[in-house]
Every structure is written in structure tokens, then in C-alpha cells.
Amino acid sequence: MAVTLITNIKQLAGIRTENKLLRGKELVELKVIENAFLIIENGIISSFGEMKNISPSALKIKEQVNASGQLVLPCWCDSHSHIVYAASREEEFVDKIKGMSYAEIAAKGGGILNTAKKLNAASEDELFNAAWKRLEEVSRLGTGAIEIKSGYGLSFEGELKMLRVIKKLKEKSNLSIKTTFLGAHTYPLELKDNHQKYIDSIIHEMLPVIAKEKLADFIDVFCEKGFFSPGETEIICKAGMKYGLKPKLHVNQMNSIGGIETGIKLDAISLDHLETMTDAEIIKLSNSNSIGTLLPTAAFFLRMPFQPARKLIDTNAAIALASDYNPGSSPSGNMNLVIAMSCIQMKMLPEEAINAATINGAYAMEIENETGSITIGKRADLIITKPVSSVSYLPYSFGTNLIDKVLINGNPV
Ligand code: NIG
Ligand code: FE
């Protein structure tokens, strides 16, 4: 049996004896033990406590890590990403700086369709290798669990290719990975005037094969003006739900068109983005079972208003934070930056942001029994920081890499 002891931890943060999706005021409750130890057995957290209470036999464990002056917290659970893609889009980034609008870029063949074209031209191996690098990159930044979406194939072959790449990532990676089918990301160019044909293809061609080959855990739709209406979103989600795929949806990114109501009606696990929210929608979401997943780096990158985190917390919503790592709206999967931005721009307290990016992120992927907190029996998915003064220092000192080591399932990254 592989056993590791971490000693002299300045603060062990994110301890939970009971699993709970955190809402409203609960989000600030980040339990910490000062001067702590933690023991890992076969990749699982087997015990922890104060150094002064450690048993003499535990001190004899051969494999030891001295974390003097360092903090230990659960790895980030990034519940919204699109990391399978073939090429970056920095040319559009520069076009936008020069003043071109999102619509003008899309008209030039840019945006999601640009990525779809490149993805369809790439081989499964090329896509796997590119995504693998991104997984390695984010795991070094402390991400231990991640949700990955399809949605750049926009055809039977392309979507299945993406989903098979994600399946391979799941098989080969130490990270916990969940897959979301986002065939309804936009319409392929050739069907831009025949939406029904594409929706039929999603429902009658793609979904049955995805279900048969068990290629997805969740279903997603980009519910937005010019993309999929709330009615279309509902039809597509219901078709996925027949195969056991629960909805996690892109809503209220640019416009408020009824995505929140539709998502709540479908009992979506999470409703993601939320840059554009009315007060009535904030209250509806707060009174629902759905988690509001905020993607502040996407708001930042597209120069959109930041999500109303404070209002959501103050009306008792359950919120999670995620990176939205993708080539068009958030070409970064750095959850440390997501947390810093949430504190700086959305006025979340550091404890709230850490909880939203760990245990609530785990809930937003339905892996809360596996990871997301320091709990006996959960995977040892741990961030060991460099010596820092407190958890607040992490978002305060934004842009600095404060991570010393990352353990995923007990294994060093
Ligand atoms: O979550 N808004 C929809 N989808 C992505 C962006 C896709 C892209 O531009 O490639 C998002 O922001
Ligand atoms: Fe997204």
C-alpha cells in the first residue's frame, strides 16, 4: 500500500465532514485547521488533523512531505471547459482590438465556425495531443477535475470525433473528467438556413450513437439570440434527457432570452455564463436547484460585464466558478486567475471563491462524492501552495504562480 504523510501544514483548508452544495451565506464557510497533517493511502485521504494530535505510528510513515509554511487545499474543480480544439484564434483577438464586432468576425467565417473548420480538418490524434497539453497545463495550475464539452464538430463525424477524443483523455488522464455533448453550439454553415435539419441530426443521428457508445455524461445547448432559442433548447435537452444526459446550459451570456426559465424547468444541473441577468432571473435561479456557474475570464476577455456574483450570493444562490477554457472567449484555463478575478471584480470573498471553485464545482459535475474537499475517503486531489501568509493571499497576489506541488489522486503532477 502506498502511504504518504504531509506534515506541518500551515493551514489545511476546505475541510468538510459532510458533503453539501453551498448556497448564499454557506459559501463563506471554509473550514481550516492550522498546523495540520494529512495522510494519503492509495490515493485517498485517510486521515488529517492537528500536528499535536498525530499518532507516533503515523510519524514513522516513510514517504513524507514537509509542508512547513505552506497551505494545502483541494484541487480546483473546473466544471466548464472546451479544451478540445485544433487551433487558437489570436487573429480574431487582434481584429477585436482594432474595433471589429463579434458579428463582423462571425460574418468573416470567424468565431465558433472558424474553430469548427479547423477541428474537422484535424485528426483524432492531433486533437488528442493538443488537448492533452492543455490538461497537463491546467493540472500544473491546480485543476484536478474538469468538464470538457464537444461543440466544435457541428456534424455527426465531427462531434463524435471530439467525444472520442474526450473519452481517450478520460482513460489516460489522472484527472476526473466529465463529458458534455454540445452539438447545439451553433449551426453548421451549410445549415444556417435550415435549423430544423441540424436539430433533427442532433436528436436522431448523434444522440442515439452517443448514448449507445456512452460518450457523454451531460447535454449542453448555447441558448442565445442568433443561436438556439429557449424552445429549441428545451427540445434538444429533452431528447438528451431520454438517454440520461442531464442539462448543463450556456445561458444569458449576451442576452436574456428565457434560458434561465427553460433551464430551471428542465432541472438543469447548472446554468452557465450569466453575464446578462435581470433581477427577476437572479431570484428565480436562487430559488431553483440549478447551480449558477460564473465564468469571469470569459466576461473579461470579451469585455462584457462581470457576472452578478454578490447579488446571487445575497439571494441564496448556489454558485460555482469555472474557466470556460476555449479559443474564442477564454483562452486560459487558469483557475487561480478565475478566483482572483472573482474576488477583485465580483467582490467575492476569497473563501467564497475557493468553495465555488472546489466543492460547488464538483457538484456541478456530479463528482462531489469523489473530490472537491478535504474529506476522508475522497481522492487526494491536493494543491500545496508555496509559503504564503493566508488563503486571501492567493487571489490578492493575482498573476503570480503560488503553487508548489499538485497531487492528483495522490500522485504528484
Ligand atoms: O462558452 N458562448 C459559447 N461558447 C463559448 C465560446 C465559443 C467560441 O467562441 O469558440 C463560450 O464562451
Ligand atoms: Fe462555454
Side-chain angles (χ1 to χ4, degrees), residues 80-82 147 149 152 182 185 220 222 250 253 272-273 295 298 323-326 329:
H80 182 137
S81 92
H82 312 242
E147 178 256 21
K149 298 174 194 295
Y152 289 130
L182 175 57
H185 200 183
D220 190 352
F222 186 20
H250 282 75
Q253 184 182 10
D272 304 20
H273 266 292
L295 314 170
S323 74
D324 198 19
Y325 194 174
N326 78 78
S329 66

Side-chain angles (χ1 to χ4, degrees), residues 71 350-351 354 390-397:
L71 316 182
E351 292 81 1
I354 291 170
S390 70
V391 289
S392 302
Y393 190 83
L394 302 173
Y396 161 78
S397 181

Side-chain angles (χ1 to χ4, degrees), residues 154-156 181 191 195-208:
L154 306 178
S155 63
F156 179 82
F181 170 52
L191 295 179
H195 289 185
Q196 195 52 48
K197 190 159 176 209
Y198 187 57
I199 294 172
D200 285 344
S201 164
I202 290 174
I203 295 174
H204 302 297
E205 290 172 2
M206 302 185 204
L207 273 172

Side-chain angles (χ1 to χ4, degrees), residues 255-271:
N255 297 284
S256 156
I257 60 164
I260 297 282
E261 285 88 342
T262 302
I264 293 171
K265 188 164 134 194
L266 295 166
D267 210 15
I269 296 177
S270 70
L271 297 172

Side-chain angles (χ1 to χ4, degrees), residues 187-321:
Y187 297 95
L189 201 56
E190 64 280 11
L191 295 179
K192 76 174 176 10
D193 299 317
N194 192 351
H195 289 185
Q196 195 52 48
K197 190 159 176 209
Y198 187 57
I199 294 172
D200 285 344
S201 164
I202 290 174
I203 295 174
H204 302 297
E205 290 172 2
M206 302 185 204
L207 273 172
V209 179
I210 291 165
K212 191 159 161 245
E213 295 187 25
K214 295 196 170 53
L215 288 172
D217 303 298
F218 307 112
I219 186 157
D220 190 352
V221 177
F222 186 20
C223 182
E224 182 56 64
K225 233 183 229 173
F227 293 82
F228 294 83
S229 69
E232 290 164 340
T233 301
E234 185 172 339
I235 290 168
I236 295 163
C237 285
K238 281 191 171 154
M241 288 161 81
K242 280 202 190 124
Y243 295 108
L245 307 182
K246 295 186 196 166
K248 276 169 74 67
L249 304 176
H250 282 75
V251 299
N252 293 51
Q253 184 182 10
M254 326 277 177
N255 297 284
S256 156
I257 60 164
I260 297 282
E261 285 88 342
T262 302
I264 293 171
K265 188 164 134 194
L266 295 166
D267 210 15
I269 296 177
S270 70
L271 297 172
D272 304 20
H273 266 292
L274 317 184
E275 284 88 327
T276 313
M277 292 283 279
T278 64
D279 284 346
E281 284 170 325
I282 289 173
I283 291 166
K284 275 185 196 154
L285 178 57
S286 299
N287 288 330
S288 78
N289 293 326
S290 302
I291 298 168
T293 300
L294 316 182
L295 314 170
T297 50
F300 169 71
F301 189 80
L302 296 183
R303 301 182 187 89
M304 295 280 299
F306 282 93
Q307 291 84 2
R310 267 297 21 113
K311 276 191 179 173
L312 283 161
I313 295 172
D314 295 344
T315 52
N316 207 35
I319 61 170
L321 291 170

